[in-house]
Amino acid sequence: MLSISGCTDEVVEETSVTTENVSESEVVTTADTIADSATIVDLVPTENLPANYELLGTRELSAETVGSDYSVVEGVVGGLEGLYTYMESTDVYVDVIETSSAENAEEFISSYKDEFSNLVVGDRFTETSVNGHSAVQILDYATIGTNDVKRYTYIWSNSKFVFVVGGATDDSDVLLTLAESTGY
């Protein structure tokens, strides 16, 4: 896992906890949790990116923009989008959306998933994990020329923040690597 400059002292590090009532085989592990004092600027990867990724820039997302791009739910404060290129040819992004509470973040994800219809064949949503957090991989299709091409999006929350990673690629590993670079 890559460390993001400026965020290390605002993170609760992954810890293993054992007690007298828990055997060694039942060790409890927690994922990194974002501190309440963190801001979206702290959470979009800008340094120490994985190999072959280059930051093109960032742009602020208003609550209205988030609503029109994803879903309208109460409690959205705003967001920040990191724009990247992979191997100098594939555009990918990380959107970090701030909500007013962890409950609003979960509601946002649920509402966004409701925007999709069922696929004729296969599952649109696949439960997965990003940096120890429960995440959802969303499968969609884009028509390029006369072909339907797979497109993936990863979405998960941590505290009051929602992370969305997507881009113009049918390679889910390209997006998962970028998602993991958030550290959250």
Side-chain angles (χ1 to χ4, degrees), residues 13 15 25 33 44 58 72 106 118 134 148 150-151 163 180:
E13 296 296 322
T15 58
S25 63
T33 301
V44 172
T58 61
V72 177
E106 289 300 321
N118 292 329
S134 177
D148 286 335
K150 290 181 178 181
R151 292 293 186 248
F163 292 80
E180 291 171 345

Side-chain angles (χ1 to χ4, degrees), residues 94-126:
V94 173
D95 286 354
V96 179
I97 300 160
E98 182 177 2
T99 66
S100 55
S101 69
E103 292 77 21
N104 286 129
E106 289 300 321
E107 179 184 342
F108 180 89
I109 292 171
S110 179
S111 180
Y112 180 59
K113 287 171 55 179
D114 288 344
E115 300 283 325
F116 292 90
S117 60
N118 292 329
L119 293 175
V120 175
V121 177
D123 294 325
R124 181 173 303 278
F125 305 110
T126 303

Side-chain angles (χ1 to χ4, degrees), residues 24-159:
E24 285 186 46
S25 63
E26 298 175 315
V27 173
V28 178
T29 304
T30 59
D32 290 344
T33 301
I34 299 171
D36 288 338
S37 61
T39 67
I40 53 177
V41 173
D42 300 325
L43 305 177
V44 172
T46 58
E47 298 177 2
N48 302 319
L49 296 171
N52 301 314
Y53 293 83
E54 179 184 344
L55 176 68
L56 299 175
T58 61
R59 70 180 184 114
E60 287 188 39
L61 303 173
S62 67
E64 293 78 24
T65 301
V66 170
S68 67
D69 287 352
Y70 295 103
S71 184
V72 177
V73 295
E74 287 189 38
V76 173
V77 176
L80 187 68
E81 181 172 59
L83 302 165
Y84 309 85
T85 186
Y86 173 73
M87 304 265 312
E88 298 181 6
S89 64
T90 303
D91 294 330
V92 292
Y93 64 88
V94 173
D95 286 354
V96 179
I97 300 160
E98 182 177 2
T99 66
S100 55
S101 69
E103 292 77 21
N104 286 129
E106 289 300 321
E107 179 184 342
F108 180 89
I109 292 171
S110 179
S111 180
Y112 180 59
K113 287 171 55 179
D114 288 344
E115 300 283 325
F116 292 90
S117 60
N118 292 329
L119 293 175
V120 175
V121 177
D123 294 325
R124 181 173 303 278
F125 305 110
T126 303
E127 296 295 322
T128 188
S129 176
V130 175
N131 298 322
H133 296 281
S134 177
V136 176
Q137 179 193 64
I138 303 171
L139 171 61
D140 204 6
Y141 288 89
T143 302
I144 299 179
T146 59
N147 298 323
D148 286 335
V149 180
K150 290 181 178 181
R151 292 293 186 248
Y152 296 95
T153 302
Y154 287 90
I155 187 167
W156 72 100
S157 66
N158 186 330
S159 183

